[in-house]
Amino acid sequence: MATAQTQSKGLLYPYQAKWLKDKARFKLGRFARQTGKTFTTTLEIVDDIHEAEIDKRRAPWVILSRGERQAMEAMEEGVMRHNKAYGVALSVLREDTEFYDEESGIRRRALQLIYPSGNKITALPANPDTARGFSANVFLDEFAFHKDSRKIWTALFPVISAGWKIRVTSTPNGKGNKFYDLATAAGGSGWSQHVVNIYQAIADGLPRDAAELKAALMDEDAWAQEFELQWLDEASSWLSYDLINSCEHDHAGIPEHYSGGPCFVGVDIATRSDNFVIWVDELVGDVLWTREVIVKKRISFAEMDALQDDVERRYKVARYCMDQTGMGEKPVEDAKRRYGQHRVEGVLFTGPNKLQLATLIKQTFEDRKSRIPMADEKLRADLHRVRKITSPTGAPRFDADSDANGHADRFWAKALACLAAHGVSGPVHVASATPLNIRPVSQQLAGYLT
């Protein structure tokens, strides 16, 4: 082995070295956030490739990540960094390729490194189709967050059954995914499992202050899941992590991907401790693609108006639904005057209305009619934070703990955007202040569950 590569290994913490030295064919790691699971696994991949090059044998690897950005990071911050530790002993060719993503209508990138003997390391976003299209060793990076993880596994396992190795790492993400199934399988399943929570990582030398991190995070559930590696009981959460995960897409939440179609906007009003949120959805076919989520805190009514005016200029907004509760009266009145009475609806956050809004957002997620930004932890926490609580009278209500990130404000803004689009049928032609053939919000809410 090259000296530089050996020095790189010397920087590993004991839990990382233990993972690296484990040569089991089937290996699973449940690691806390930011403890170096991708860094260490990509080092193992580079080691394996270089040993194969020396031995003149075939040892290709494929890295399947939750999205395109994560795949590129695994390759560029992991594989390519470790590759440099070997010096210039091997000449490696980098090859970027593109393929068409039918779901989003946008081209994706795949990054590939080709070694002199023909061995390859390929990194790309995971889906059931890409899982079928190769024969190689596999690294499933943050597998609990992969959309359609069970379908990916079903497509993948026959491929690796030919003798290839597999590495699966992730932080927990609820119980509704294949990573949970694998990690909680009974003993004797043939998997070598490694579990490293934040306290174990710190004990092994990772320079972190657990108390400081926990205080700054201000979210008991997030701390328990992402740092203590607990499997959360999601019975009371209205949107489970698995449901949220199923609607994430790495092409969502990027304004540059706006294709000029009709947009539906939800606005959650706040001026003090909570967030003011504008959620912009573009209707593409029958799916609401998030184009932008604007989150501001402690801004004036004038600044709110300016932000909405900017959205109005940049998107073809067919309809706005706005929180009219309390301080929302004035912003709704002003928006109706600027954009037209027929394009703006105010919604009072009464108990029955919140029930119907929560039902609508959940239905759009369950029907896979929404695409939301990927790997936005504050957004994920907001969507997951809302809980259905049964009152002493038996009536359901929806509530969320308030913290430094707000009071589930992104959840309600998205629910309002779903409501703005609800009831739309057929082609939508947008012209400023032109009435649309949509039932008023009050009628939609009254009849939605019937």
Side-chain angles (χ1 to χ4, degrees), residues 358-369 422 448:
T359 301
L360 181 56
I361 187 175
K362 187 170 188 176
Q363 186 176 81
T364 62
F365 276 47
E366 289 177 338
D367 293 343
R368 296 288 304 281
K369 299 299 185 184
H422 186 57
Y448 182 69

Side-chain angles (χ1 to χ4, degrees), residues 76-316:
E76 293 173 354
E77 300 299 321
V79 170
M80 295 174 70
R81 178 177 174 182
H82 299 313
N83 211 56
K84 289 179 181 178
Y86 280 87
V88 293
L90 294 175
S91 176
V92 180
L93 174 65
R94 171 174 172 162
E95 184 177 277
D96 288 6
T97 60
E98 289 189 347
F99 60 97
Y100 182 71
D101 181 3
E102 293 185 1
E103 183 181 25
S104 64
I106 298 172
R107 300 196 69 79
R108 287 183 176 275
R109 284 194 304 152
L111 177 57
Q112 192 169 71
L113 296 183
I114 305 173
Y115 290 77
S117 294
N119 280 310
K120 299 177 182 179
I121 303 177
T122 306
L124 69 165
N127 63 54
D129 290 334
T130 57
R132 284 189 188 90
F134 55 83
S135 178
N137 300 300
V138 177
F139 172 29
L140 292 172
D141 186 21
E142 289 288 9
F143 188 44
F145 297 85
H146 287 204
K147 184 167 58 179
D148 298 327
S149 63
R150 288 191 173 92
K151 291 182 180 178
I152 289 171
W153 187 255
T154 299
L156 172 72
F157 202 79
V159 175
I160 62 167
S161 66
W164 301 112
K165 293 178 286 191
I166 185 165
R167 304 293 180 250
V168 181
T169 67
S170 192
T171 300
N173 183 37
K175 299 181 179 181
N177 53 75
K178 190 61 184 181
F179 181 74
Y180 172 78
D181 298 344
L182 295 173
T184 58
S189 62
W191 285 83
S192 176
Q193 296 206 29
H194 296 240
V195 180
V196 181
N197 63 28
I198 189 64
Y199 308 113
Q200 293 165 311
I202 291 172
D204 270 1
L206 185 71
R208 302 286 187 273
D209 185 324
E212 181 182 57
L213 288 172
K214 185 175 182 180
L217 184 60
M218 298 179 66
D219 188 322
E220 289 291 336
D221 282 354
W223 178 260
Q225 177 168 264
E226 298 185 12
F227 291 91
E228 296 180 334
L229 307 181
Q230 296 181 27
W231 304 106
L232 294 187
D233 180 4
E234 299 191 289
S236 62
S237 291
W238 187 241
L239 301 179
S240 70
Y241 278 119
D242 190 52
L243 185 58
I244 295 167
N245 196 63
S246 71
C247 293
E248 289 187 336
H249 199 287
D250 55 358
H251 288 167
I254 302 174
E256 290 75 17
H257 288 166
Y258 175 51
S259 62
C263 291
F264 299 88
V265 176
V267 184
D268 189 52
I269 306 293
T271 60
R272 303 196 182 202
S273 59
D274 296 332
N275 294 309
F276 169 78
V277 182
I278 300 177
W279 190 297
V280 182
D281 275 343
E282 180 187 6
L283 186 64
V284 181
D286 61 352
V287 176
L288 293 171
W289 280 83
T290 303
R291 291 308 177 208
E292 190 168 1
V293 182
I294 301 168
V295 182
K296 299 291 182 180
K297 182 172 283 191
R298 297 187 183 91
I299 63 174
S300 66
F301 287 122
E303 290 172 303
M304 293 181 195
D305 290 347
L307 287 170
Q308 276 196 256
D309 288 345
D310 185 50
V311 166
E312 174 74 8
R313 282 191 295 270
R314 292 186 291 114
Y315 299 97
K316 296 177 181 178

